[in-house]
Amino acid sequence: MGRRVIPHVAMRPLWRCRNCGAEWPCQPARLALLMEYRKDRLGLLLYLGGLMVQARDQLAQLNPEHTPDLYDRFLGWARRRDRR
Ligand SMILES: [Zn+2]
């Protein structure tokens, strides 16, 4: 019985974290993404933008009445605040 590590990745089409159940990207997922893309912020934003489009489509199919604000959830936190 090995201990299994569940990564903080999105369950589709619900877009909840497989590990902690929070709305993805959860805090650990954001930290991991920031580390992975620490030298490529534009790449991170493009990646998240692509996921946001998928999430919007899938969530809209699940619940057309409710349109969550996915921009802040997927992109707002990743944008650089100290831009010069
Ligand atoms: Zn998580």
Side-chain angles (χ1 to χ4, degrees), residues 7-9 17-22 24 26-29:
H8 289 267
V9 295
C17 177
R18 198 175 286 282
N19 178 300
C20 63
W24 197 91
C26 59
Q27 202 59 33

Side-chain angles (χ1 to χ4, degrees), residues 14-65:
L14 289 173
W15 291 88
R16 294 226 165 232
C17 177
R18 198 175 286 282
N19 178 300
C20 63
E23 290 187 332
W24 197 91
C26 59
Q27 202 59 33
R30 293 178 186 193
L31 285 173
L33 285 166
L34 285 173
M35 285 302 293
E36 189 178 342
Y37 285 90
R38 63 190 175 280
K39 291 182 178 157
D40 184 12
R41 186 60 62 100
L42 180 61
L44 174 60
L45 293 173
L46 290 172
Y47 174 67
L48 289 168
L51 292 179
M52 183 175 71
V53 170
Q54 292 178 37
R56 187 164 51 207
D57 286 351
Q58 293 176 358
L59 291 172
Q61 282 181 17
L62 290 179
N63 188 354
E65 311 278 308

